[in-house]
Amino acid sequence: MAITLTAVVFLLIAAALGAGGVWLAMLGGSWYYILAGLAFLITSYLLFRKRASALLVYAILVIGTLAWAIWEIGFDWWQLAPRGGVIILLGLWLLTPWIRRGLNAGADAQRTSWGPAVPLLLTVLAALVVAGYSMMGDPKQITGELSEEVITSEPDFGGNVPADDWHQYGRTPYGQRYSPLKEITPDNVNSLQVAWTYQTGDVKLPDDIGETTYQVTPLKVRDTLYICTPHNWAIALDAATGKEKWKFDPNVGLNPDRQHQTCRGVSYYADPALQPGQPCAERVYLPTSDARLIALDAANGQICPSFADKGTLHLEKGMPYDPAGYYYSTSPPVVAAGKIIVGGAVNDNYSIHEQSGVIRAYDINTGALIWNWDTGNPDVTTPLPEGQTYTHNSPNSWSVSSADEKLGLLFVPLGNQTPDQLGAGRSENVEKFSSSIVALDLNSGQLRWVRQTVHHDLWDMDVPAQPTLLDINTATGAIPALVGPTKQGDIYVLDRRTGEPILPIEEVPAPTGAIEGDHSAPTQPVSALSFMPQRLTGTDMWGVSMFDQLACRIEFLKLRYEGRYTPPSLQGSLIYPGNFGVFNWGGIAVDPGRQIMFGMPTYLAFTSKLVPRADVPPPGDNTKGSEQGLNRNEGAPYAVIMGPFVSPLGLPCQAPPWGYVAGADLRTGKITWKHRNGTVRDSSPLPLPFKVGVPGIGGPMITAGGVAFLGAAVDDYLRAYDVTNGKQLWEARLPAGGQSTPMSFALNDKQYVVMVAGGHGSVGTKPGDYVIAYTLPK
């Protein structure tokens, strides 16, 4: 009975591999699956006949598969496993007494002999040896050590922030995500323990949109932490105990048209004209998802009525369309030079009738508009006259900007005009400013320089991260530098005075052939420091078994793919890296003394398929603002279907790793080390902590003690790493997803690390409302 059932299973496998293999071969892919299907068919026939020769045929399949797998991908365990896992398991089953002894039933001597099974036994053992050997190495990692030499003993951190504090999103206006504190070191970090835990009470609601996320980086001023929550509550906490001091709820309500329900941070300002202790002498500015900016007294959370309209700045003013749900600020504004400077997020790919991406600078005390920089009218920065509107659907800045008050410059990461995948009819200014980093005069808003990172962007490769500022030593002396991470993996290292490259930038040929009426740029820029992925091939397709791997190989060849910057198409294009980015809003962290960086490059392929307007179904009652699935692009000739490139089981079709931690020298552009980061514990049916290297969204933080901290990965951990070599030193299990950026402060001569754990709707991590502080034991 066991032999007959096995023969039936082998026959079904033969049919699946044969049909899929023929389809794959017709698309120009590997013939292996046809040959494997034939071997399963012959084995099935021989099993039905109870012939011992079935074991020999299967042994040939095992050794052939082993040879083919090594030829295709070498000794990479995570790629060998799906190719051979099912085959080896079935080989072991054929070696069991229930099968082996039942073959050649008419010959009693053969029934108990191992003779016919020896070739299969040897080939299975060979495969297991290869599997064991492949587990001992990692062909995808880069090992090395960053120099521990301190290039600048007194680096410029930007701003006047005490070493114990963290006053802005990236600690200072330079966005370095670097703490000068040294108490926590590689030698003692594994002793970190929870000091306190606070729960905000702001939890994901049943009617919330999918991308309800908790991405805040807390600020710390003297003895108080300031945070915001997904529904834009502002909260002050005692830094030593985590006890709540005050809470302010702006009542933003729910709106299904919002694509994001989040808050990455608040902004802090101390008014030098007021005496400490006076009302609103210190203020916290809260951006909200209903397009408001609210000034609060940092001492008690009360609204400061002297700012703007009784304490509230209405960001919809001057917008060409009703902004409810379509325009809001998810990131903290910049505080610099007596101004508070605000960008905003627009809903991607909803409609061609979008709000403006204007950047506006307001008097931080009164809320009066000082200047506005609109990419549709970039030369006129004087405040918009009453009754006029900004340019609709201009490139926006949804992330965080940086500022250098000494140079008098603001550095803004810009996005794209929507629809992201359709470039026909874009204006000259849109073509100039889309997906760029721009430097604006802090006092006038006038453009000083622009550095574009993607030409004629058709892939949603907006610049997602806060530019990081530091001084970099070169052969000609120290240069004020800007480091700009991008979704496509390039990291631009520029002279921030001029935008000219410190590390070389080269224009390289790019795929062409956009849809009729559009075009794609013939070349694209590539920085000398780049984490861009290698071009995918059929051998990079992956699965938990040979079956979903085969499905991915078929789908891969059905899509249009010519490498990075393959234009969107009607047949469907593979976009790699996808718009999730190699780097996203979490950016990188730098050590300005050693002039090195720590980052979390992520690699996920997406698909992009254009849909003619006539084929777009009408919106449903429960349509929400997701960036995945059908993006309607109302008013455009095409909608677009977007999403991650996944197998029928919902796993990435490309082979892991999907996420790393990496270190690079910013003076040379050399990537010194790169290691898999994170496990599948929280993203697989079985909670097994296999260190595959998983994607993440969030940012890192470096301390002067030589330790980097990072949550972000889709497993629920906060981890510490040795900055020099990338070795993981410590991890703490989080009660929810850690898709935020940690920070560090000191109080009463103790250094703390704070992590917010609340999950991320887009990547499916566990929601929560936790703020957790860690410190070393007394």
Side-chain angles (χ1 to χ4, degrees), residues 479-503:
I479 296 177
L482 176 149
V483 183
T486 64
K487 286 184 177 181
Q488 60 270 29
D490 294 309
I491 293 185
Y492 289 86
V493 183
L494 310 173
D495 185 327
R496 67 176 181 265
R497 298 168 297 187
T498 64
E500 291 302 307
I502 296 174
L503 294 180

Side-chain angles (χ1 to χ4, degrees), residues 41-55:
L41 180 62
I42 295 171
T43 304
S44 174
Y45 169 77
L46 294 172
L47 286 173
F48 273 119
R49 300 294 300 274
K50 293 185 171 55
R51 298 287 181 83
S53 54
L55 304 182

Side-chain angles (χ1 to χ4, degrees), residues 169 213 215-216 228-233 250 252 258-267 285-294 313-316 319 323-334 340-347 355-360 362 396-401:
Y169 178 73
T213 66
Q215 302 174 351
V216 66
C228 57
T229 70
H231 294 95
N232 306 134
W233 303 354
V252 297
R258 295 174 190 152
Q259 281 185 335
H260 311 276
Q261 186 68 58
T262 192
C263 185
R264 295 190 184 96
V266 295
S267 301
Y285 292 84
L286 173 70
T288 70
S289 56
D290 58 357
R292 290 180 286 163
L293 182 65
I294 304 172
L313 191 62
H314 299 280
L315 299 177
E316 74 273 15
M319 289 297 173
Y326 285 70
Y327 178 87
Y328 41 90
S329 181
T330 59
S331 298
V334 170
I340 188 160
I341 305 169
V342 186
V346 301
N347 282 352
Q355 285 67 41
S356 176
V358 62
I359 309 299
R360 291 173 284 186
Y362 299 90
N396 67 306
S397 181
W398 54 266
S399 189
V400 185
S401 297

Side-chain angles (χ1 to χ4, degrees), residues 117-349:
V118 169
L120 178 56
L121 176 62
L122 293 176
T123 56
V124 167
L125 288 175
L128 293 174
V129 168
V130 168
Y133 173 77
S134 69
M135 291 179 183
M136 297 170 60
D138 185 355
K140 298 296 178 67
Q141 76 170 349
I142 299 172
T143 57
E145 291 194 353
L146 290 163
S147 172
E148 296 189 60
E149 179 187 3
V150 176
I151 309 301
T152 304
S153 59
E154 296 184 2
D156 185 1
F157 300 129
N160 296 310
V161 180
D164 290 354
D165 282 4
W166 193 288
H167 284 193
Q168 296 203 24
Y169 178 73
R171 202 183 85 84
T172 76
Y174 280 14
Q176 295 171 349
R177 294 169 190 79
Y178 175 83
S179 170
L181 302 175
K182 299 180 180 179
E183 181 186 2
I184 299 171
T185 69
D187 293 330
N188 62 24
V189 66
N190 61 357
S191 299
L192 281 177
Q193 55 188 222
V194 174
W196 53 258
T197 299
Y198 170 79
Q199 290 185 255
T200 68
D202 185 1
V203 296
K204 187 173 183 178
L205 303 172
D207 293 331
D208 268 322
I209 59 171
E211 191 164 316
T212 298
T213 66
Y214 206 179
Q215 302 174 351
V216 66
T217 298
L219 306 185
K220 188 265 187 181
V221 182
R222 295 188 301 279
D223 63 354
T224 306
L225 292 180
Y226 300 100
I227 62 172
C228 57
T229 70
H231 294 95
N232 306 134
W233 303 354
I235 300 174
L237 303 175
D238 184 288
T241 65
K243 182 179 179 181
E244 182 181 304
K245 291 187 172 184
W246 56 257
K247 178 165 62 179
F248 172 81
D249 181 359
N251 298 307
V252 297
L254 301 179
N255 188 329
D257 286 334
R258 295 174 190 152
Q259 281 185 335
H260 311 276
Q261 186 68 58
T262 192
C263 185
R264 295 190 184 96
V266 295
S267 301
Y268 166 81
Y269 174 70
D271 190 342
L274 297 178
Q275 292 296 318
Q278 286 186 261
C280 294
E282 296 178 71
R283 297 189 283 276
V284 169
Y285 292 84
L286 173 70
T288 70
S289 56
D290 58 357
R292 290 180 286 163
L293 182 65
I294 304 172
L296 303 173
D297 190 328
N300 54 32
Q302 299 296 310
I303 291 178
C304 296
S306 61
F307 178 74
D309 179 15
K310 300 178 181 178
T312 298
L313 191 62
H314 299 280
L315 299 177
E316 74 273 15
K317 187 175 182 180
M319 289 297 173
Y321 302 109
D322 180 4
Y326 285 70
Y327 178 87
Y328 41 90
S329 181
T330 59
S331 298
V334 170
V335 171
K339 303 170 184 67
I340 188 160
I341 305 169
V342 186
V346 301
N347 282 352
D348 274 346
N349 305 330

Side-chain angles (χ1 to χ4, degrees), residues 527-607:
S527 173
L529 175 52
S530 182
F531 290 86
M532 66 176 176
Q534 292 183 344
R535 179 170 173 168
L536 293 174
T537 68
T539 61
D540 295 309
M541 296 303 101
W542 190 77
V544 295
S545 72
M546 62 195 305
F547 306 110
D548 50 321
Q549 183 186 53
L550 172 57
C552 285
R553 292 184 96 147
I554 292 170
E555 193 61 29
F556 173 73
L557 291 177
K558 288 168 57 182
L559 294 166
R560 179 183 176 186
Y561 179 63
E562 297 154 33
R564 194 167 70 149
Y565 301 122
T566 299
S569 63
L570 292 169
Q571 78 181 76
S573 295
L574 186 66
I575 310 301
Y576 184 58
N579 67 339
F580 191 82
V582 176
F583 297 98
N584 208 293
W585 54 263
I588 62 170
V590 304
D591 183 326
R594 294 167 64 182
Q595 298 176 20
I596 57 176
M597 61 147 280
F598 178 99
M600 181 193 65
T602 292
Y603 299 98
L604 285 176
F606 274 58
T607 59

Side-chain angles (χ1 to χ4, degrees), residues 291 313-323 327 354-360 362 369 372-374 377 382-394:
L313 191 62
H314 299 280
L315 299 177
E316 74 273 15
K317 187 175 182 180
M319 289 297 173
Y321 302 109
D322 180 4
Y327 178 87
E354 291 281 0
Q355 285 67 41
S356 176
V358 62
I359 309 299
R360 291 173 284 186
Y362 299 90
L369 182 63
N372 36 234
W373 185 74
D374 178 358
N377 189 19
T382 52
L384 185 74
E386 200 69 35
Q388 294 187 22
T389 59
Y390 299 109
T391 306
H392 82 280
N393 200 11
S394 54

